[in-house]
Amino acid sequence: MQNKERDDFKRLQSMHGFDQGRNLNRQCDANLFRSVKKGNMSAVDYHEKRIMLKMSEQIGLDDGSSATLDITNHIRKLTVAQSTHMCSNVDHYAASFGDSGWGCDYRNLQMLLSALLRNPQYADRLLNLCPSTSSTSDSSIKVPSISRLQSAVEEAWKMGFDEQGCEQLGDKLSGTCKWIGATEIVTLLASCRIRYRLIDFH
């Protein structure tokens, strides 16, 4: 029984990114290579994509390859209702080669940031996180990469935000495949002096 519990716990840790064998870069490389082996990508595309993703991670900005820009406009065009009300323009960020299976809340955070950065009131507070977005025109919206978001949450922890969450995630997100949730997102928003309300549904 103890062996089964231990194996189940290891599987659970692996599923939520707590194993040491997986990280964003390794997963990205493995998935890109798999695409080449399946014939879905040429060797040239493989190397170009790897270079683009590495550059994106180095500068801390998402490369935008998984983004559908201004998705609200696309939704408005497809709606059959007489009138459609949208809260804000937003870009949709989907999983990509490196974060498939664990990056959904990082992508949700990128979507949220794409909406907030269009509002001058919030854009000013996000300058440290998104320094390249100096204006709020829709064409200039650039959101942080997953690795930049991971380090930003760690910076918020060091400032004293969400000490319990920090402890639960082992004081480390950078370079891991650990899942985050709403509490890590509001931790980041709070560290940027953005008011939020976290609602828990039971």
Side-chain angles (χ1 to χ4, degrees):
M1 184 65 170
Q2 280 184 338
N3 287 340
K4 184 184 178 337
E5 282 182 25
R6 188 174 25 253
D7 291 343
D8 287 347
F9 185 65
K10 282 183 181 178
R11 251 190 312 280
L12 188 63
Q13 281 182 311
S14 178
M15 187 172 87
H16 292 282
F18 282 85
D19 60 337
Q20 299 302 316
R22 257 183 17 175
N23 70 34
L24 178 69
N25 291 327
R26 279 192 213 120
Q27 182 172 328
C28 184
D29 287 343
N31 287 340
L32 284 170
F33 187 71
R34 222 174 277 125
S35 290
V36 173
K37 280 181 71 175
K38 289 180 179 178
N40 297 332
M41 180 181 287
S42 71
V44 172
D45 290 339
Y46 164 80
H47 289 291
E48 285 178 357
K49 186 70 175 168
R50 278 188 76 215
I51 290 168
M52 284 180 57
L53 289 170
K54 301 261 187 251
M55 286 173 51
S56 171
E57 288 302 315
Q58 283 181 341
I59 61 173
L61 293 174
D62 190 83
D63 70 349
S65 63
S66 75
T68 303
L69 302 179
D70 192 14
I71 195 158
T72 46
N73 199 29
H74 296 284
I75 294 169
R76 275 189 198 99
K77 289 176 185 175
L78 294 172
T79 188
V80 292
Q82 219 165 11
S83 65
T84 304
H85 300 281
M86 301 287 181
C87 62
S88 176
N89 288 339
V90 66
D91 302 329
H92 176 263
Y93 288 84
S96 112
F97 293 100
D99 63 290
S100 181
W102 60 270
C104 54
D105 271 340
Y106 292 104
R107 298 305 185 171
N108 289 337
L109 179 53
Q110 287 176 323
M111 287 172 42
L112 175 62
L113 291 172
S114 79
L116 292 175
L117 287 164
R118 288 179 165 89
N119 182 321
Q121 176 186 352
Y122 298 113
D124 290 344
R125 293 176 185 213
L126 293 166
L127 276 176
N128 287 339
L129 184 62
C130 313
S132 68
T133 305
S134 55
S135 76
T136 55
S137 68
D138 286 2
S139 61
S140 69
I141 301 299
K142 300 225 182 295
V143 297
S145 63
I146 288 177
S147 60
R148 174 66 186 113
L149 293 173
Q150 288 176 325
S151 64
V153 172
E154 289 177 349
E155 291 164 18
W157 287 341
K158 288 176 186 162
M159 294 165 58
F161 292 96
D162 191 23
E163 292 173 357
Q164 185 178 10
C166 175
E167 186 179 318
Q168 287 175 349
L169 290 169
D171 303 326
K172 183 166 175 56
L173 284 176
S174 293
T176 72
C177 294
K178 291 178 183 175
W179 292 18
I180 64 166
T183 54
E184 286 74 34
I185 291 173
V186 299
T187 295
L188 182 59
L189 294 176
S191 73
C192 295
R193 301 178 337 275
I194 294 176
R195 291 179 59 191
Y196 62 87
R197 177 177 292 161
L198 180 61
I199 300 173
D200 190 9
F201 296 94
H202 286 283

